[in-house]
Amino acid sequence: MDSVNEIPDEVLIKGMREGNHQMIQALYTQHYPMVRKLVIANSGSESEAKDVYQETIIVLYENIQTKGFNLTCKIRTYLYSVSRNIWLKELKKRIPQTTDLNDHKHFVDVNRDFDKHEEKQKRLDKIQLALEQIGEPCKSILTYFFFNRLTMEEIATKMGYTNADNAKNQKYKCFKRLKKLVLKVK
Amino acid sequence: MSNDINISDLDIEKYFDGELPKEKIAAFEEKVVNDALFAREVREHRQMRLDLSIIRERHTLSQLMDQIHEQEYGKIPKLMPEKEQGLESENPKAIEQSLTSQNENETQRSNRVISFKTFYLSVGAAAALAALITLGSVWILNQPGDSANTAASGYQDLLMEESQEKRADSSSDRTDRHEDRKVVSSVSKKYVATAFAIAKDGYFVTNNHVVEDCSNLKLKTKTEDGKWVDFEAKVILNDTLSDLALVQVMDSTFTELGVLPFTFSSKGAQMGQDVFTLGYPKKDVVMEPGTISSTTGLDGDTTAYQLAMSLNTGNSGGPIFNTKGEVVAVVKGKHNGKEGTGYAVRVEYMLDLIEEFETENSIRLKKPRYNQIQYKSRVNQINHIRQFVFLVEAVK
């Protein structure tokens, strides 16, 4: 998409960093067709293309939030390279004989970013699995606190505790338990 | 190192919340510098808090992207319906839940709807979930089940109310098993349940729901000549999470018990294991045999076991023994309306509670070290154990 009214990379990056929805939307639509083409040309489906692309955006988004992240190439090239990596890995999993993708575009080495991403993914998976297994009332308390960002007063009310201090104490214990569980998850 | 202020690992979360009292902060930071193990704990803790916020941000971002995608490119026909359904079965816990009673499933569903409406954008979160799962990652951010509903769906704790009067809120308006006891009632009620010794010098374990908010607490036992003696006691540590409480006898007439003949299992229990409990469903100690029927409790609760055991009010707080005479769990409740299904807290949580008490107070309880009854018959085991199982009387 080399249209004239394409938003410059610096502007997009700044918008991403600030979590600006319009900028995220602009970036999303600016490069999706490229990734879609890549995935579909390599025996992927429309919805797989979407999945690959969204994971790629997550990689970029989280990198941009990190201090000291410096994009050494164009966003377009970066997104293409990460998507390529993700899809190639997925294909290899399905068809072990896969060696490379069928494409002709220029890409850069994003292995380091990708490995970091995978490592992080493993950590997050463990936490989510532990959260699934932790049981009540911990699951509710931790979800309310960390995901819904409720105050301890609100949590106390929801959980039927007499005051916020009770809820806090429960949360401390729950967090400790979550930590233990995360270590146990394979 | 300033040792006069004790820093426990529960303080780590307090520290990150900015809730640690000023006088403790210095001691905390000193400990981080001097104690490499503690420092590691703190680092891991911090990482997990960070990871939790990443999970949250990813969830929000995925929803936003789905919204954008649908707006720009329309809905993608689902090409992999089996993956979509697979969402539930990717998660082993979910399978279990789907086999539980209809009540519970219904509560879950309604919770999800409420939570999404309240907290997240309305965009199809299920799509986002499926999306990430296709890429081999688990993206399960189920909404919390409301403890109130869980209680209503089938859980009943087992303390016995001695008073004749029924409280107004006891049946239909009952919303929460903790809540219902907090309702201010002008008449005090006496509840009866079970406690057992965990050390010979007057430390007992029972359920938190038995002793929570009580104004008076007594432990009773029958002497050999059939007379009841009772001892004043107080709660020294409790945990609403595992529903356990540590109780100490505070009575000058109490003399040390003999050495405890049983020990606490370090391995927990396995499905299918034969177990038994001693408790006070009537005004005398009663043995009840049973089997560990699941290694999780109600609703996948990993702090508990499910038991095939006929439990009654008064059994709450009773020890669950395996055939070797080791405590593997503590009775806490039963499935309401499903006779013969009980729940018991895993012994690890009892050991955690004891350990917490010991570290916070820098003392060691005289816990049993040797199991003296492991090769004895059950009849013999019970003869040895019964004098360590007391009746609890809590006035609330």
Side-chain angles (χ1 to χ4, degrees):
Chain A
M1 284 236 304
D2 292 303
S3 72
V4 202
N5 40 14
E6 203 170 273
I7 301 168
D9 277 5
E10 312 83 71
V11 181
L12 284 177
I13 288 175
K14 188 167 169 280
M16 278 280 240
R17 187 169 289 137
E18 291 160 355
N20 181 323
H21 286 194
Q22 265 145 5
M23 286 300 147
I24 294 172
Q25 177 150 15
L27 178 122
Y28 193 98
T29 49
Q30 216 157 295
H31 303 294
Y32 177 62
M34 164 187 73
V35 172
R36 180 181 172 271
K37 214 163 134 191
L38 170 76
V39 173
I40 287 175
N42 288 277
S43 53
S45 70
E46 186 87 38
S47 86
E48 283 162 337
K50 173 185 156 220
D51 295 343
V52 169
Y53 189 57
Q54 294 198 351
E55 192 174 344
T56 305
I57 299 277
I58 286 175
V59 173
L60 175 71
Y61 179 84
E62 286 177 2
N63 268 329
I64 286 177
Q65 308 298 323
T66 329
K67 259 190 207 152
F69 174 74
N70 199 0
L71 202 56
T72 50
C73 60
K74 294 209 69 151
I75 288 185
R76 192 172 175 77
T77 314
Y78 186 79
L79 291 178
Y80 185 79
S81 312
V82 175
S83 290
R84 199 182 181 285
N85 238 321
I86 294 174
W87 188 238
L88 182 60
K89 198 185 165 209
E90 180 62 25
L91 274 187
K92 277 183 180 166
K93 220 188 288 171
R94 292 184 197 176
I95 313 154
Q97 305 89 290
T98 314
T99 48
D100 208 351
L101 291 184
N102 164 28
D103 68 334
H104 312 284
K105 269 200 170 61
H106 174 64
F107 59 91
V108 290
D109 180 4
V110 286
N111 280 325
R112 261 188 60 188
D113 286 3
F114 187 67
D115 288 349
K116 261 200 278 180
H117 172 70
E118 294 247 285
E119 202 182 293
K120 191 195 267 173
Q121 188 63 54
K122 263 185 213 153
R123 269 196 343 256
L124 301 186
D125 287 349
K126 276 186 184 178
I127 294 177
Q128 296 205 325
L129 220 76
L131 269 174
E132 277 304 305
Q133 293 176 1
I134 197 165
E136 291 300 348
C138 281
K139 192 173 150 194
S140 297
I141 293 176
L142 295 173
T143 307
Y144 287 144
F145 185 81
F146 287 103
F147 299 149
N148 301 328
R149 297 273 163 103
L150 300 192
T151 64
M152 291 319 287
E153 283 76 18
E154 289 166 322
I155 295 175
T157 316
K158 277 195 170 292
M159 302 298 298
Y161 296 135
T162 36
N163 57 48
D165 278 339
N166 279 346
K168 275 178 203 165
N169 278 326
Q170 288 310 325
K171 197 200 81 190
Y172 302 142
K173 287 177 182 167
C174 286
F175 199 94
K176 189 181 161 187
R177 182 172 301 168
L178 181 69
K179 228 165 106 186
K180 265 193 191 166
L181 258 174
V182 167
L183 290 177
K184 270 195 226 163
V185 175
K186 43 126 196 67
Chain B
M1 232 203 273
S2 54
N3 280 326
D4 39 336
I5 300 177
N6 236 323
I7 301 289
S8 83
D9 40 357
L10 289 181
D11 287 331
I12 305 177
E13 178 71 1
K14 268 188 211 172
Y15 180 81
F16 286 119
D17 274 353
E19 296 269 352
L20 201 63
K22 277 192 199 88
E23 62 273 17
K24 266 189 153 183
I25 291 178
F28 182 93
E29 284 165 355
E30 205 181 314
K31 193 169 177 179
V32 172
V33 175
N34 293 324
D35 183 342
L37 239 109
F38 184 71
R40 206 182 78 188
E41 284 276 313
V42 173
R43 271 200 310 277
E44 284 170 6
H45 196 112
R46 198 173 137 255
Q47 183 63 57
M48 236 175 77
R49 279 181 63 113
L50 272 172
D51 285 346
L52 280 161
S53 64
I54 294 174
I55 292 173
R56 178 180 181 273
E57 278 193 25
R58 281 194 180 182
H59 188 75
T60 317
L61 182 60
S62 297
Q63 289 195 325
L64 176 67
M65 287 194 292
D66 276 343
Q67 207 177 25
I68 294 169
H69 200 100
E70 203 184 313
Q71 197 180 321
E72 298 280 340
Y73 311 105
K75 266 202 172 131
I76 292 172
K78 294 287 176 247
L79 293 176
M80 294 180 296
E82 75 283 358
K83 282 274 179 187
E84 272 269 280
Q85 283 177 354
L87 181 61
E88 293 284 322
S89 38
E90 292 279 340
N91 166 23
K93 280 286 164 299
I95 294 175
E96 273 184 30
Q97 285 171 354
S98 70
L99 292 173
T100 54
S101 79
Q102 219 176 357
N103 269 346
E104 286 160 37
N105 282 334
E106 230 140 59
T107 15
Q108 277 186 331
R109 208 174 310 135
S110 61
N111 280 331
R112 206 163 292 162
V113 173
I114 293 164
S115 306
F116 275 131
K117 237 192 269 163
T118 328
F119 303 113
Y120 291 122
L121 304 166
S122 55
V123 194
L129 298 177
L132 280 139
I133 278 172
T134 31
L135 292 169
S137 30
V138 186
W139 184 264
I140 300 154
L141 211 136
N142 268 3
Q143 294 307 300
D146 202 332
S147 63
N149 289 340
T150 315
S153 74
Y155 183 83
Q156 188 194 336
D157 50 34
L158 298 170
L159 77 176
M160 187 197 289
E161 190 178 325
E162 270 207 333
S163 162
Q164 299 285 24
E165 295 141 286
K166 284 244 171 193
R167 280 172 304 165
D169 62 316
S170 66
S171 54
S172 57
D173 283 336
R174 183 176 167 128
T175 48
D176 184 298
R177 67 193 173 93
H178 297 295
E179 192 64 42
D180 70 346
R181 275 183 301 282
K182 279 178 203 137
V183 173
V184 190
S185 70
S186 49
V187 200
S188 61
K189 304 280 177 333
K190 206 188 264 178
Y191 295 91
V192 170
T194 307
F196 63 101
I198 49 121
K200 60 177 180 176
D201 47 349
Y203 292 93
F204 290 78
V205 161
T206 186
N207 283 142
N208 180 55
H209 73 254
V210 172
V211 296
E212 199 179 25
D213 302 326
C214 68
S215 56
N216 186 293
L217 187 63
K218 277 195 182 101
L219 293 183
K220 296 182 161 191
T221 185
K222 225 178 193 176
T223 57
E224 277 165 27
D225 49 2
K227 275 194 195 122
W228 284 92
V229 283
D230 52 74
F231 306 101
E232 295 287 330
K234 71 164 195 190
V235 180
I236 48 174
L237 190 63
N238 61 343
D239 181 15
T240 52
L241 220 57
S242 55
D243 196 6
L244 289 176
L246 207 54
V247 169
Q248 189 183 8
V249 172
M250 307 303 254
D251 203 310
S252 55
T253 60
F254 182 82
T255 47
E256 263 193 17
L257 303 167
V259 176
L260 272 58
F262 55 85
T263 48
F264 313 127
S265 167
S266 53
K267 295 193 197 87
Q270 288 189 324
M271 190 159 46
Q273 240 178 18
D274 283 333
V275 291
F276 68 89
T277 188
L278 291 179
Y280 290 90
K282 62 175 188 178
K283 206 130 200 243
D284 202 356
V285 67
V286 173
M287 192 282 295
E288 188 64 44
T291 310
I292 301 281
S293 50
S294 167
T295 49
T296 53
L298 182 66
D299 228 356
D301 180 358
T302 51
T303 68
Y305 293 118
Q306 187 180 317
L307 308 162
M309 194 182 259
S310 160
L311 294 166
N312 285 300
T313 49
N315 272 118
S316 261
I320 301 270
F321 291 97
N322 62 17
T323 49
K324 285 187 197 162
E326 296 171 325
V327 177
V328 292
V330 181
V331 175
K332 71 166 178 177
K334 70 170 178 182
H335 200 103
N336 200 357
K338 203 157 73 182
E339 276 320 301
T341 301
Y343 298 102
V345 191
R346 287 162 172 262
V347 72
E348 297 104 276
Y349 293 96
M350 181 186 96
L351 297 175
D352 275 359
L353 194 73
I354 297 172
E355 197 192 309
E356 194 182 329
F357 176 75
E358 288 180 330
T359 46
E360 274 180 14
N361 297 282
S362 311
I363 56 168
R364 289 236 149 259
L365 300 187
K366 295 173 183 165
K367 284 165 293 186
R369 287 216 195 116
Y370 306 106
N371 188 331
Q372 301 166 13
I373 51 174
Q374 60 174 316
Y375 301 114
K376 291 191 159 67
S377 69
R378 193 161 74 187
V379 173
N380 262 323
Q381 287 178 336
I382 291 167
N383 267 330
H384 280 87
I385 295 167
R386 59 184 296 177
Q387 53 177 311
F388 297 92
V389 180
F390 283 52
L391 182 148
V392 188
E393 207 178 80
V395 178
K396 300 190 185 186

